[in-house]
Amino acid sequence: MDEALRERTGDHRFDILVNNAGIGQIVTLEETTEESFDEVMNINIKAPLFVTQQALPRLKDGGRIINISSFVTRVASPSVFAYSMSKGAIDTLTHILAQQLGSRNITVNAIQPGIINTEMNDETLKDPNGQKFAAGLSTFKRWGESEDVADIAAFLASSDSRWVIGQLKAFQSSLLLFLQKIDISLTFFSFTFECLLYSSFDALNPFTGLNFTVRLLSALISNLINPGSLAR
């Protein structure tokens, strides 16, 4: 590695590591073999793990590590079983490295793209049904291009991202936006149930619990209408 770096840059140290190599297999759990599983894990998680291990002594303080994950870590996709597991491991690796390297001002983040027009998705995007499926995942009604991912990576590699660390940046497809709404709704009903229990068991002053419930419900409704209002 040192020799290759010197040939390219004249130095054995560098600033930015992008773990981009990966393969995908359309294989269910029932169809997965030990060989196919090992192939995906070796390329998608073992390779970036040990490349990162070798990179750490050579990565300059204040540097950047950018991992390419996938939207399949947020959406259950049984048809890409091993691939989904490998990208879940990348997300975990991102969080661990972010915690470990923060003291060196090295930021570690992951990008979770949807279906991108690359060699890995050739077969999907050649098929009209595949094109329809890929476009339907996006709010923009199109599949992604390499430039869409590259621009996000460029931001994460720049000094502008110095306060961004341990983040999993997802392309906001229609499905992910829908799941976010579900998550907000589940939070809303969970808090509602807990508050009702609280008010029911406040024997000394039942109106205290009821008042708390009303105020919290009002805040949650405001947050549904204007996301982020609770944070303020």
Side-chain angles (χ1 to χ4, degrees), residues 150-224:
D151 287 344
I152 295 178
F155 164 72
L156 292 175
S158 73
S159 60
D160 291 338
S161 69
R162 60 191 174 276
W163 201 242
V164 181
I165 186 168
Q167 298 300 303
L168 310 175
K169 296 297 182 183
F171 282 94
Q172 292 300 300
S173 69
S174 301
L175 183 56
L176 290 181
L177 289 173
F178 174 70
L179 290 175
Q180 286 179 349
K181 291 179 181 178
I182 290 178
D183 183 60
I184 292 173
S185 298
L186 288 175
T187 302
F188 175 82
F189 286 113
S190 175
F191 271 102
T192 301
F193 180 70
E194 291 180 12
C195 291
L196 289 174
L197 284 178
Y198 176 81
S199 63
S200 298
F201 288 102
D202 190 357
L204 293 177
N205 189 351
F207 292 103
T208 301
L210 183 58
N211 182 53
F212 174 76
T213 301
V214 171
R215 287 189 289 110
L216 184 55
L217 287 179
S218 177
L220 287 170
I221 291 171
S222 297
N223 193 60
L224 287 173

Side-chain angles (χ1 to χ4, degrees), residues 70-81:
S70 172
F71 82 109
V72 298
T73 64
R74 293 170 175 255
V75 181
S77 304
S79 62
V80 285
F81 184 80

Side-chain angles (χ1 to χ4, degrees), residues 104-121:
R104 292 179 55 188
N105 289 319
I106 295 174
T107 66
V108 188
N109 297 286
I111 302 173
Q112 297 175 321
I115 295 179
I116 306 299
N117 185 17
T118 63
E119 292 180 6
M120 192 169 76
N121 292 313

Side-chain angles (χ1 to χ4, degrees), residues 76-92:
S77 304
S79 62
V80 285
F81 184 80
Y83 177 77
S84 299
M85 289 182 63
S86 71
K87 292 304 181 179
I90 286 291
D91 289 354
T92 301

Side-chain angles (χ1 to χ4, degrees), residues 141-152:
K141 302 306 178 186
R142 68 172 179 87
W143 52 84
E145 299 292 341
S146 299
E147 293 80 6
D148 297 322
V149 184
D151 287 344
I152 295 178

